[in-house]
Amino acid sequence: MRTVARLHRVWALVSVVSAAATVAGAALLVPRPAQAASTLGAQAATSGRYFGTAVAAGRLGDSTYSTILDREFNMITPENEMKWDTTEPSRGSFNFGPADQIVNHAQAHGQRMRGHTLVWYQQLPGWVSSIGDANTLRSVMDNHITTEMTHFKGKIYAWDVVNEAFADGSSQHRSSVFQNVLGNGFIEEAFRTARAADPSAKLCYNDYNIENWSDAKTQGVFAMVKDFKARGVPIDCVGFQSHFGSGGPPASFQTTLQNFAALGVDVQLTELDIAQAPATAYSNTVKDCVNVSRCAGITVWGIRDSDSWRSGDNPLLFDGNGNKKAAYDAVLSALGGGVPYGGGDSPTPPPSGDGGCSVKYTISSQWTGGFGANVEVSNLGDPVSSWTLTWSFGAGQQVTQAWNATVTQSGSNVTAKNVSYNGSLPTNGSTSFGFNGSWNSGNPAPTNFALNGTACTTG
Ligand code: 9MR
């Protein structure tokens, strides 16, 4: 018996060695595509971005889970562990244990952290939601922000300072104890307090259903960020949660990201998941980010389908066994394109004083009979407080819907006017707007743009 067992062992060893030799030989003869050697995090890093996931502390002991986590992801958001009900379950009594577990894991594996979240109407303990006195609530909120941020100081790349403060389908704040007791100013108060607590962390506003440019909620958040930037209220980034149906992102998502970025904030996709995870929907989403230079990175909301808060939708990049899905390959490949993070989304305009204007006209998508276009106009002359951009279509195209500008058309002549928030264009300032249109025989780009009557260069 002993001899037989030893023989088996020897044979097993020989098999392993010869299998390894075969694999090594094949690798020498048939070079694998470069992409196959990459991971989501490494591929995102080639353009200066990160690729992250939500992590649950309770799953770190699952080796399938942690193996994928450490191989693929270089940014981590705690799924629940930094929320108020966990971190301050009763007033002044803080519990950072579960979150520390995740932060320690991240530090040991070279991963950065997004902090999620300091002020949110959900997962909020009853002792907070029952406060009715403004002074008490203000001091409780500020103390919560300061204590939690101080605990993690220097370890967090970006904080979701305020989460989901806007009402669904509306440009107004939702009802919450913070809104109802402190009024509109609670968001500003939270951001100012956060900046003082950890000046090195990026401060984000995070929300869902703000991906479609024409939605009222998107416009409400946009107006808030614009106002914060104008008044010097500290804000560095906006998180677009990106919980999508199987169709993926709305057609205007890239425009939305670009318009927010143009306010001077980073944009991030913070909780991405897509029902049924179609490869194309994932690919489109990633492209919308990597085409915008201030889109800093993407976080998916969980690793395997079985880890997801919407597991019935199978919305993630790995199946329940930890195998890569088709969407994984689509994401990896889409991460390879785009512009560098922070690299500038448009060509540097000529020096001021040249006068005139330049226009970059991009057909962002085209299908039978229809197309979407983005128009970026740069003012190279004196500052203007309102603008009209005109052009004519050469092949019977017709604008059907526009955002970020009011567009009318008469015959082939198109007139686009600024909307309330983007009329002012300093010298060398630029703005973008988008539209959908129809076409039949052809869809050539217009060349005769004029800004307030002055001809523009194109390209
Ligand atoms: O994925 C989180 C889930 O485990 C929690 O039960 C839930 C509680 O509300 O929160 C989920 O995460 C949410 C995130 O914190 C904020 N945006 C929506 C996410 C999905 O509900």
Side-chain angles (χ1 to χ4, degrees), residues 79-80 83 116 120 122-123 163-164 241 243 271 301 309:
E79 188 170 358
N80 290 297
K83 294 171 181 174
H116 174 80
W120 186 26
Q122 277 188 34
Q123 287 174 282
N163 193 42
E164 301 175 7
Q241 293 186 7
H243 295 294
E271 303 181 12
W301 205 240
W309 69 296

Side-chain angles (χ1 to χ4, degrees), residues 115-257:
H116 174 80
T117 175
L118 296 164
V119 180
W120 186 26
Y121 74 101
Q122 277 188 34
Q123 287 174 282
L124 187 67
W127 71 266
V128 184
S129 36
S130 60
I131 296 173
D133 172 64
N135 286 334
T136 308
L137 185 60
R138 188 174 300 108
S139 110
V140 158
M141 183 181 82
D142 290 350
N143 183 54
H144 181 78
I145 293 170
T146 303
T147 308
E148 182 157 353
M149 287 186 74
T150 302
H151 178 83
F152 295 110
K153 195 167 181 170
K155 299 176 179 174
I156 306 291
Y157 158 73
W159 273 104
D160 291 333
V161 178
V162 175
N163 193 42
E164 301 175 7
F166 280 71
D168 293 327
S170 151
S171 62
Q172 304 301 307
H173 295 175
R174 70 168 69 242
S175 167
S176 72
V177 67
F178 304 108
Q179 178 67 29
N180 302 344
V181 176
L182 299 177
N184 280 336
F186 88 89
I187 304 181
E188 171 172 354
E189 166 99 12
F191 275 83
R192 289 192 188 279
T193 306
R195 179 66 96 223
D198 184 356
S200 66
K202 285 184 187 283
L203 307 181
C204 303
Y205 176 78
N206 191 53
D207 214 330
Y208 64 90
N209 283 356
I210 56 168
E211 293 84 9
N212 189 334
W213 179 244
S214 57
D215 281 356
K217 190 168 170 182
T218 310
Q219 293 303 317
V221 175
F222 184 83
M224 175 188 76
V225 176
K226 188 169 190 230
D227 170 59
F228 278 17
K229 291 307 260 184
R231 290 189 298 112
V233 179
I235 183 166
D236 306 305
C237 36
V238 175
F240 297 79
Q241 293 186 7
S242 309
H243 295 294
F244 292 137
S246 58
S252 61
F253 191 25
Q254 187 180 316
T255 299
T256 303
L257 295 172

Side-chain angles (χ1 to χ4, degrees), residues 30-42:
V30 187
R32 305 175 76 195
Q35 187 181 298
S38 196
T39 62
L40 300 170

